[in-house]
Amino acid sequence: MVDDAEQKCTGTCATVDQTVDTFEMPGQVTDSQVLRDLATRIRINSVEATSAAKSGHPTSSSSIAEILSVLFFNTMRYKVSAPRDPSSDRLVLSKGHAAPALYAAWVENGLVPAAELRQLRQVGSDLEGHPTPRLAFVDVATGSLGQGLAMADGMAYVGKYVDKVDFRTYCLIGDGESAEGSIWESIAFASHYKLDNLVLIVDVNRLGQTEETMLGHHLDMYKRRLEAFDFNAMVVDGHDVDALIKAFDAAAATKGKPTAIIAKTFKGKDFPGVEDKDNWHGKPLGAQSEKVLAHLNSLLKVKGKLKFTIPPTVTLAPAVSISNIKLTSPPSYKKGDMLATRSAYGTALVKLAKSNPRVMAFDGDMKNSTFSEELMKFNPDEFVECFIAEQNLVGVAVGAACRDRVVAFVSTFAAFLTRAFDQFRMAAISQSNINVCGSHCGVSIGEDGPSQMALEDIAMFRTIPGSTIFYPADVVATERAMELAANTPGITFIRTSRPPTAVIYSNDQTFQIGKANIVLSSTKDQILIIAGGVTIQESMLAANTLLQTGIGARVMDPFTIKPIDKEGIISHAKEVGGRILVVEDHYPEGGIGEAVLAAVAEEKGIQVKLVAIPRVPRSGKTADLLSLYGIDAKGIVEHVKNALKM
Amino acid sequence: MVDDAEQKCTGTCATVDQTVDTFEMPGQVTDSQVLRDLATRIRINSVEATSAAKSGHPTSSSSIAEILSVLFFNTMRYKVSAPRDPSSDRLVLSKGHAAPALYAAWVENGLVPAAELRQLRQVGSDLEGHPTPRLAFVDVATGSLGQGLAMADGMAYVGKYVDKVDFRTYCLIGDGESAEGSIWESIAFASHYKLDNLVLIVDVNRLGQTEETMLGHHLDMYKRRLEAFDFNAMVVDGHDVDALIKAFDAAAATKGKPTAIIAKTFKGKDFPGVEDKDNWHGKPLGAQSEKVLAHLNSLLKVKGKLKFTIPPTVTLAPAVSISNIKLTSPPSYKKGDMLATRSAYGTALVKLAKSNPRVMAFDGDMKNSTFSEELMKFNPDEFVECFIAEQNLVGVAVGAACRDRVVAFVSTFAAFLTRAFDQFRMAAISQSNINVCGSHCGVSIGEDGPSQMALEDIAMFRTIPGSTIFYPADVVATERAMELAANTPGITFIRTSRPPTAVIYSNDQTFQIGKANIVLSSTKDQILIIAGGVTIQESMLAANTLLQTGIGARVMDPFTIKPIDKEGIISHAKEVGGRILVVEDHYPEGGIGEAVLAAVAEEKGIQVKLVAIPRVPRSGKTADLLSLYGIDAKGIVEHVKNALKM
């Protein structure tokens, strides 16, 4: 039985001694034939490993073999013994399906035992079908195409503007992958921020999974597009190690703009009968293996041990700590005052940043609505405008947070976070620690209408493994949610509201993840109302109205929707006789209601009534919409009366 | 109380008589000063409407006033009385926040009563904050930026290659919006398919919501980028009606490539003190209104009624029917044979296409894995390769399905459909009828690892209002799911699996949406097992094992997860004593388990145990992974035994 209950980096990493020569200048440090042999060895290992696994992508590995041999054994400055050293160059293999080539490179430099490769894709091995940070030499999981460059952008941004260290970031994408719009968001970001420490390598092997890519081997078209996006773009023969060395050196010498190296390659390079042929995507070579391996072995030229030099890192990244971050002052509000929770997001961001300068905010041109602009005003160096490109926004934050350099807070309208669902999904596989604030949730935003209303955001973030979801009921709770989020591993989500709601907590209220608060109760309680955000206030008004008619309703603020306070819900539900009413400004599926249902699933004698937004809503004033969908105080009074008939 | 329970086009449409002159040639048909006055009138109405609403985007409306006046009153061929006539030119206002200008144009052409505009954004009006197809003159909802061009691509593709009619498609995007990667996916698609009937208009008003866009007023940079993507790109003064007319005429004369008109505009044009200033995004003019309106009124030059000509449509779109689509032959399998449900997707696609040539498939370079390539092989004209760009893939299908021209089936790996969550969210607001197949669900895919495993797809599609979710247990069920999907309004999702599973249904089995099937039962049943896809087969094996030890377990195949068979679940659960075990290859949140919980929420005496994939999974053989996560037959036996202790 494999124990993968803990999501942490175990790696398969042998400790190795690394003896390096010191080259301060760029230039060739390893013999060309050695690099060619290393590329061939990467191919051999890729073929053997995928043949043993009976699955995988040998042809996509082959097209990048020289690119990896030059990067790993000539160009990149890194420590084999410390793959996550913050001063080292970074490589993001965005075309994650070429994982065998990546693993093979780490076999050649001595970190991964060669025998491990034969366990590729088996349940006992961390050498998975696509790279994940279960391996110490992988920063971010890849395999969903088009995401790697955003994370590389985040790493490069931190290197250039935050750490101010001379590491360089390399990102290798496939040509088919360049059809993903997220790549073009990240290209625009890199050029806007003049990330001259970033090198994008496009592996133009011509073939997608099922047919030729849109641009085939028209290298000039890639060049025109990348130059139009203000990259220093060059076309090279991706199987010529000398040309690659020169290109990487030219990239290092280019200031003020990122470089793109457009590499003409062949899928299945050096695989006779397979190279550049259709229908070889994602398939081990099977019956062709023997012939291919014989040919590859015949290409090896250097006798004896391959001698290579991995250049050392040039400057040391500063030591930083991103733990134990506090609000520098407690919340300071007056009960009953009307304030939007989104405003407290900005307030708390600044307090956290005062506690630790590594707190950074990333926004998608919504900073005056999400209130992240408060941090920009406090210190522009801790704010990154990512413009209207949510996929890249999230990816940049994931990249920035790598190697524990930054406490990243991402914000935009919660509705538009759906744009980055795949990025969040992958961020969980990446074991990323990012904090996400989605403002303007629910119909309570009012007139802007359904396109701007997040009504599926809780459902989305609940599916993210290891996530924590805060849905603060007021500004006091929001500030404390932010403080907890900053110190909580995994992906946290803070759901804030547009309209002002009443301050219901005193400034000294304490909050815990997974611990609900009862915000209203009586001795006559016959039902437990569980609400969130705006519906807390409405539920409290409803409970007060009901009490006048002799009906007691206890109101619970779950504070976190994930984890949800299972024990608290069950015990309070039992105290009031087993009836629960959930009222939420969200669609019925996957929201607070279903979280509550999951908590009481195995209990007998608890009945739950769910009230949510049942269909695509429409524009209108906040009060009109809360009324139309029955989640205002008046509606809740009726729902309680109906629920009591259950 | 507003009745919006029915999602249908009610519109606010007056029936109007339209008298038009007939111009067969492109060229100016309306006097320039009339067009300038119409632009000013659009501005006046935008200011007045947003001032009345006390919210909205007058400045973003103002920058496009001339573009709309030229399109609506000179260039576009359409019928005011029949806004969804299939032969008419299409306009997608991708920058949906400029809705007031769009509404104002339809006031000028007589469809919308002027008085309606004063109801802008109120709960009683279909003139919402952002356009939706509740209005007859809106094909697709916009407001989440960057989506309109994909839908315009789909419309233009159908016009050029399917309907083969001479309507033209115009898509108006904002400059801030062009940072969305989805726009570049759609740009690449349009040029790849040489959509010369498509015109992209970029409203370069320089200002985003919170600051200047990345490119500001550098029109040449937009031009370079669009030319690099093989557009015919031209820069024009977006406030010069004569220049715009010429540009649209030049676009019409350009063959073999789409045109981009890059319009230099000013946000808040002709609003003294507001024009081209920061901090005026999304705000009514308030105290400035009076002064601005006075200025705008002073700009009106034409005395008396404005005379304009709307050119008629040139060719008639063919009449088509897309209803009552059937499998041309019933499923033809043998019980017990091992076949992957994804293979039946391809088989059924061809059968449906034989029934109706308007059945089309759209794929994201996965067609040999999803099996959509079967339709391509049958008839390449009914297949559209959209390459690795899932957002555009979905948007193109939504656009193609507009005005009931096409029955669209979209396919890729289910995991990568998360990339298009925002597109699905908006498709529901668009009242779109598209069918989506996500293959390779769950850990059962095996060695490729977590990045390729869909474990949140059911949760995602459950949140889509009006959606129908099929999770067929075998190939027979898959073919029938496809047939039902083709005839079901709204967004349907069909979840298919990679590995072969046993055929469990006979070929004459009937299936209904919302109706579960009991696939195994005994007289001794003590528990109801609800499963889906691969876990059906495992549950049946488990039930047979359990029966040998005297424990009866009834196995239910829900067939559709949404709607789920509430009555069936409750009645069977009661028959077996109230215990339910749900076993699913999905994360615990939002999947089959929570759908079941929601169905039984108000019941007393039903206890539910959920078994799902509890954390980020890993690579491994299918059987190893089903075992590791306890969803194989052996694991299910144990879960049943534990559940009987509830």
Side-chain angles (χ1 to χ4, degrees):
Chain A
M1 191 66 148
V2 178
D3 175 19
D4 69 341
E6 287 292 311
Q7 270 276 339
K8 63 182 179 186
C9 170
T10 54
T12 50
C13 312
T15 305
V16 294
D17 284 324
Q18 182 182 11
T19 314
V20 294
D21 295 334
T22 304
F23 288 83
E24 286 305 327
M25 294 295 291
Q28 188 163 357
V29 294
T30 301
D31 181 72
S32 298
Q33 186 56 48
V34 169
L35 293 172
R36 282 191 282 275
D37 272 22
L38 282 161
T40 300
R41 289 174 61 91
I42 286 171
R43 289 194 174 96
I44 290 170
N45 270 322
S46 299
V47 170
E48 291 184 341
T50 51
S51 291
K54 295 195 178 67
S55 71
H57 298 76
T59 57
S60 302
S61 296
S62 180
S63 65
I64 62 167
E66 281 81 10
I67 295 167
L68 292 192
S69 79
V70 169
L71 281 173
F72 274 89
F73 304 104
N74 183 81
T75 299
M76 284 203 302
R77 299 171 174 275
Y78 69 106
K79 293 182 188 150
V80 176
S81 58
R84 291 196 184 154
D85 179 78
S87 309
S88 295
D89 289 352
R90 272 76 162 161
L91 169 66
V92 178
L93 180 68
S94 190
K95 50 172 285 184
H97 53 289
L102 178 71
Y103 304 159
W106 286 94
V107 166
E108 295 303 329
N109 70 20
L111 188 75
V112 175
E116 273 280 342
L117 260 187
R118 300 309 171 91
Q119 296 303 310
L120 179 75
R121 295 176 155 245
Q122 302 308 304
V123 77
S125 171
D126 288 339
L127 298 176
E128 299 192 72
H130 296 76
T132 82
R134 288 182 173 124
L135 297 161
F137 56 82
V138 173
D139 283 300
V140 287
T142 51
S144 180
L145 294 173
Q147 298 199 18
L149 186 58
M151 300 181 286
D153 279 359
M155 296 172 191
Y157 188 96
V158 167
K160 186 175 173 78
Y161 295 111
V162 183
D163 278 345
K164 295 170 185 164
V165 185
D166 289 335
F167 72 76
R168 298 178 64 71
T169 300
Y170 298 90
C171 179
L172 176 48
I173 71 169
D175 50 351
E177 176 178 10
S178 73
E180 289 283 11
S182 50
I183 289 287
W184 295 93
E185 295 179 359
S186 303
I187 286 171
F189 180 94
S191 72
H192 182 75
Y193 286 109
K194 304 183 195 309
L195 299 180
D196 50 14
N197 55 348
L198 177 83
V199 180
L200 166 66
I201 308 136
V202 189
D203 172 39
V204 187
N205 67 19
R206 193 182 69 82
L207 293 171
Q209 171 167 328
T210 67
E211 63 177 78
E212 190 175 61
T213 63
M214 280 186 278
L215 300 187
H217 260 155
H218 293 286
L219 288 291
D220 55 309
M221 294 179 73
Y222 288 98
K223 187 163 190 276
R224 276 168 52 209
R225 292 183 182 186
L226 282 153
E227 282 176 347
F229 277 78
D230 290 311
F231 266 59
N232 167 41
M234 16 184 172
V235 171
V236 300
D237 175 347
H239 298 306
D240 178 340
V241 296
D242 297 308
L244 286 165
I245 290 168
K246 276 187 202 153
F248 288 123
D249 287 350
T254 301
K255 299 300 169 202
K257 53 169 65 179
T259 290
I261 295 176
I262 302 151
K264 181 176 183 178
T265 63
F266 294 93
K267 201 160 176 172
K269 171 72 178 170
D270 287 343
F271 297 177
V274 173
E275 180 177 323
D276 202 32
K277 293 265 195 299
D278 279 334
N279 296 318
W280 277 106
H281 181 92
K283 291 176 185 166
L285 300 188
Q288 308 292 313
S289 288
E290 209 173 324
K291 188 179 73 180
V292 167
L293 286 170
H295 176 72
L296 289 171
N297 276 296
S298 78
L299 298 175
L300 296 173
K301 295 283 189 294
V302 180
K303 305 299 171 192
K305 194 169 169 8
L306 295 175
K307 287 177 68 176
F308 54 79
T309 302
I310 297 168
T313 58
V314 248
T315 50
L316 276 185
V320 297
S321 164
I322 57 165
S323 59
N324 200 22
I325 295 167
K326 302 272 190 206
L327 293 176
T328 47
S329 63
S332 174
Y333 301 101
K334 203 177 131 204
K335 269 196 187 183
D337 278 1
M338 299 295 285
L339 290 156
T341 52
R342 62 184 170 129
S343 72
Y345 176 74
T347 307
L349 258 185
V350 173
K351 290 182 181 178
L352 295 174
K354 284 179 180 169
S355 156
N356 189 319
R358 290 275 159 166
V359 170
M360 291 186 69
F362 303 78
D363 201 293
D365 194 23
M366 290 290 186
K367 56 187 177 283
N368 59 353
S369 291
T370 61
F371 280 87
S372 68
E373 71 174 5
E374 297 301 319
L375 184 53
M376 184 190 72
K377 290 178 190 162
F378 170 71
N379 183 356
D381 292 345
E382 295 175 30
F383 178 85
V384 185
E385 180 54 72
C386 296
F387 302 94
I388 307 173
E390 296 78 11
Q391 297 191 71
N392 185 63
L393 165 66
V394 173
V396 164
V398 169
C402 280
R403 304 194 188 187
D404 292 340
R405 306 308 294 169
V406 157
V407 181
F409 280 87
V410 172
S411 52
T412 185
F413 280 18
F416 305 143
L417 291 172
T418 53
R419 204 63 157 262
F421 191 10
D422 199 22
Q423 276 71 16
F424 293 124
R425 184 180 76 87
M426 291 298 295
I429 305 174
S430 292
Q431 305 176 27
S432 181
N433 299 309
I434 57 165
N435 310 294
V436 184
C437 174
S439 70
H440 292 67
C441 67
V443 301
S444 73
I445 70 161
E447 290 89 341
D448 270 348
S451 65
Q452 320 290 301
M453 295 168 172
L455 291 159
E456 55 292 285
D457 52 325
I458 294 177
M460 176 171 79
F461 281 105
R462 282 185 67 234
T463 69
I464 304 296
S467 67
T468 304
I469 301 177
F470 300 91
Y471 189 6
D474 75 354
V475 284
V476 176
T478 305
E479 288 202 28
R480 291 302 179 191
M482 291 285 291
E483 186 177 45
L484 287 163
N487 297 285
T488 300
I491 294 163
T492 72
F493 174 57
I494 301 143
R495 188 183 213 223
T496 63
S497 300
R498 177 178 177 274
T501 52
V503 180
I504 60 169
Y505 287 112
S506 59
N507 289 317
D508 60 359
Q509 174 78 34
T510 56
F511 294 87
Q512 287 175 51
I513 290 172
K515 188 86 186 71
N517 294 308
I518 298 297
V519 294
L520 204 74
S521 64
S522 78
T523 54
K524 300 181 186 171
D525 293 342
Q526 303 171 49
I527 192 166
L528 176 65
I529 305 177
I530 304 179
V534 292
T535 62
I536 300 258
Q537 168 179 290
E538 299 299 324
S539 297
M540 291 169 76
L541 292 169
N544 282 325
T545 303
L546 286 161
L547 200 57
Q548 290 165 19
T549 66
I551 299 171
R554 190 171 298 181
V555 181
M556 174 182 276
D557 165 18
F559 183 55
T560 54
I561 311 306
K562 183 180 172 189
I564 200 153
D565 186 354
K566 181 173 171 172
E567 290 70 29
I569 290 169
I570 292 172
S571 67
H572 283 287
K574 287 187 172 168
E575 278 180 37
V576 301
R579 284 194 192 85
I580 298 176
L581 171 70
V582 182
V583 186
E584 59 184 319
D585 195 359
H586 188 276
Y587 286 137
E589 297 86 3
I592 306 175
E594 293 193 356
V596 168
L597 287 172
V600 304
E602 298 184 20
E603 294 296 315
K604 261 188 179 158
I606 293 181
Q607 290 169 284
V608 185
K609 187 167 180 63
L610 303 190
V611 175
I613 309 303
R615 54 187 176 270
V616 171
R618 54 192 306 132
S619 289
K621 292 191 175 64
T622 298
D624 289 345
L625 296 178
L626 296 184
S627 165
L628 181 60
Y629 301 108
I631 60 169
D632 64 347
K634 197 170 156 221
I636 294 168
V637 166
E638 291 310 306
H639 295 307
V640 166
K641 289 179 180 167
N642 287 330
L644 291 178
K645 296 174 197 157
M646 275 196 298
Chain B
M1 193 66 146
V2 177
D3 175 18
D4 67 342
E6 287 294 311
Q7 270 275 339
K8 62 180 179 187
C9 170
T10 53
T12 51
C13 314
T15 305
V16 295
D17 284 322
Q18 182 183 11
T19 314
V20 294
D21 295 334
T22 303
F23 288 84
E24 287 303 325
M25 295 294 292
Q28 187 159 356
V29 295
T30 302
D31 181 74
S32 299
Q33 186 55 49
V34 169
L35 294 171
R36 282 191 283 273
D37 271 21
L38 282 162
T40 300
R41 289 173 61 91
I42 286 170
R43 289 194 174 95
I44 290 170
N45 270 322
S46 299
V47 170
E48 290 183 341
T50 52
S51 290
K54 296 195 176 67
S55 71
H57 299 76
T59 57
S60 302
S61 296
S62 180
S63 64
I64 62 167
E66 282 80 10
I67 296 168
L68 292 191
S69 79
V70 171
L71 280 173
F72 274 89
F73 305 105
N74 182 80
T75 299
M76 284 203 302
R77 299 173 174 275
Y78 67 106
K79 293 184 188 146
V80 176
S81 58
R84 290 193 185 154
D85 179 79
S87 310
S88 294
D89 289 351
R90 274 72 163 162
L91 169 66
V92 178
L93 181 67
S94 189
K95 50 172 289 184
H97 54 288
L102 177 70
Y103 303 157
W106 286 94
V107 167
E108 295 303 329
N109 70 20
L111 188 75
V112 175
E116 273 280 339
L117 260 187
R118 300 311 171 90
Q119 295 304 310
L120 179 74
R121 294 175 156 246
Q122 302 308 303
V123 77
S125 172
D126 288 338
L127 298 176
E128 299 192 73
H130 296 76
T132 82
R134 287 181 175 126
L135 296 161
F137 57 84
V138 174
D139 284 299
V140 287
T142 52
S144 181
L145 295 172
Q147 298 197 19
L149 187 57
M151 299 181 287
D153 279 0
M155 297 172 190
Y157 188 97
V158 167
K160 186 174 174 76
Y161 295 111
V162 183
D163 279 344
K164 296 171 185 163
V165 184
D166 289 335
F167 73 76
R168 298 179 63 70
T169 300
Y170 298 89
C171 178
L172 177 48
I173 71 168
D175 50 351
E177 177 178 10
S178 73
E180 289 284 10
S182 49
I183 290 287
W184 295 92
E185 294 179 1
S186 304
I187 285 171
F189 179 94
S191 71
H192 182 74
Y193 286 108
K194 305 186 192 313
L195 300 179
D196 50 14
N197 55 349
L198 177 83
V199 181
L200 165 66
I201 308 135
V202 190
D203 171 40
V204 186
N205 67 20
R206 192 180 71 81
L207 294 170
Q209 171 167 329
T210 68
E211 64 178 77
E212 190 175 60
T213 62
M214 280 187 277
L215 299 186
H217 259 155
H218 294 285
L219 288 289
D220 55 310
M221 294 178 74
Y222 288 98
K223 188 164 190 277
R224 276 170 51 210
R225 292 182 183 186
L226 282 153
E227 284 177 344
F229 276 78
D230 290 312
F231 267 60
N232 167 41
M234 20 185 167
V235 171
V236 301
D237 175 348
H239 299 305
D240 178 340
V241 296
D242 297 307
L244 286 165
I245 289 168
K246 278 187 201 155
F248 288 121
D249 287 348
T254 300
K255 299 301 169 200
K257 52 171 64 181
T259 290
I261 296 176
I262 302 152
K264 181 176 183 177
T265 64
F266 294 93
K267 201 160 176 171
K269 171 73 179 171
D270 286 343
F271 298 176
V274 172
E275 179 177 323
D276 201 33
K277 293 265 196 300
D278 280 334
N279 297 318
W280 275 107
H281 181 92
K283 291 175 186 167
L285 300 188
Q288 309 292 315
S289 290
E290 207 173 328
K291 189 179 73 182
V292 167
L293 287 169
H295 176 71
L296 289 170
N297 276 299
S298 77
L299 297 176
L300 296 173
K301 295 283 189 295
V302 181
K303 304 298 171 195
K305 195 168 168 10
L306 295 176
K307 288 177 67 176
F308 53 81
T309 302
I310 297 169
T313 58
V314 247
T315 48
L316 274 186
V320 297
S321 164
I322 57 165
S323 58
N324 198 25
I325 296 168
K326 302 270 188 207
L327 293 176
T328 46
S329 63
S332 175
Y333 301 100
K334 203 177 131 203
K335 267 198 187 181
D337 278 0
M338 300 294 285
L339 291 157
T341 52
R342 62 183 169 130
S343 71
Y345 176 74
T347 307
L349 258 183
V350 173
K351 290 182 183 180
L352 296 173
K354 284 179 179 169
S355 156
N356 189 319
R358 290 275 158 167
V359 170
M360 291 188 68
F362 303 79
D363 201 293
D365 194 22
M366 291 291 186
K367 55 187 176 286
N368 59 353
S369 291
T370 61
F371 280 83
S372 67
E373 70 174 5
E374 297 301 321
L375 184 53
M376 183 190 73
K377 290 176 190 164
F378 171 71
N379 183 356
D381 292 345
E382 294 176 30
F383 179 84
V384 186
E385 180 53 74
C386 296
F387 302 94
I388 308 173
E390 295 78 10
Q391 296 191 70
N392 184 63
L393 165 67
V394 173
V396 165
V398 170
C402 280
R403 304 195 188 186
D404 292 341
R405 304 308 293 169
V406 158
V407 181
F409 281 87
V410 172
S411 53
T412 184
F413 280 18
F416 306 142
L417 291 172
T418 54
R419 203 63 157 262
F421 191 8
D422 199 22
Q423 276 72 15
F424 293 124
R425 184 179 77 86
M426 292 298 295
I429 305 174
S430 292
Q431 305 175 29
S432 181
N433 298 310
I434 56 166
N435 309 294
V436 184
C437 174
S439 70
H440 292 68
C441 67
V443 301
S444 73
I445 68 160
E447 290 90 341
D448 270 349
S451 64
Q452 320 291 301
M453 296 167 171
L455 291 159
E456 54 292 284
D457 52 325
I458 295 177
M460 177 172 79
F461 281 104
R462 283 186 67 233
T463 69
I464 304 297
S467 66
T468 304
I469 301 178
F470 300 91
Y471 188 7
D474 74 357
V475 283
V476 176
T478 305
E479 288 201 29
R480 291 300 178 192
M482 291 284 291
E483 185 177 45
L484 289 163
N487 296 287
T488 301
I491 294 163
T492 72
F493 173 57
I494 301 143
R495 189 184 212 223
T496 63
S497 301
R498 177 178 177 275
T501 52
V503 180
I504 61 170
Y505 287 112
S506 58
N507 289 318
D508 60 357
Q509 174 78 34
T510 58
F511 294 89
Q512 287 176 49
I513 290 172
K515 188 86 185 69
N517 294 309
I518 298 297
V519 293
L520 205 75
S521 64
S522 77
T523 54
K524 299 180 188 173
D525 292 344
Q526 303 171 49
I527 191 165
L528 177 66
I529 305 179
I530 304 177
V534 292
T535 62
I536 301 257
Q537 167 179 291
E538 300 297 324
S539 296
M540 290 169 76
L541 292 170
N544 282 325
T545 303
L546 285 161
L547 199 57
Q548 290 164 19
T549 67
I551 300 171
R554 187 171 301 180
V555 182
M556 174 182 277
D557 165 18
F559 182 58
T560 54
I561 311 305
K562 183 182 174 187
I564 200 154
D565 185 355
K566 182 173 170 173
E567 290 69 30
I569 291 169
I570 292 171
S571 68
H572 283 286
K574 286 187 174 168
E575 279 178 38
V576 301
R579 284 193 191 87
I580 298 176
L581 171 70
V582 183
V583 186
E584 59 184 319
D585 194 0
H586 188 276
Y587 285 137
E589 297 86 4
I592 306 175
E594 293 193 355
V596 168
L597 286 172
V600 303
E602 297 184 21
E603 293 296 314
K604 258 187 181 159
I606 294 181
Q607 291 169 283
V608 185
K609 188 167 179 64
L610 302 190
V611 175
I613 310 302
R615 54 187 175 272
V616 172
R618 55 191 306 132
S619 289
K621 291 189 174 64
T622 298
D624 289 346
L625 296 179
L626 296 184
S627 166
L628 182 61
Y629 300 109
I631 60 170
D632 63 349
K634 197 172 156 216
I636 294 169
V637 166
E638 292 309 306
H639 294 308
V640 166
K641 289 179 180 168
N642 287 330
L644 292 179
K645 296 174 196 157
M646 274 195 300

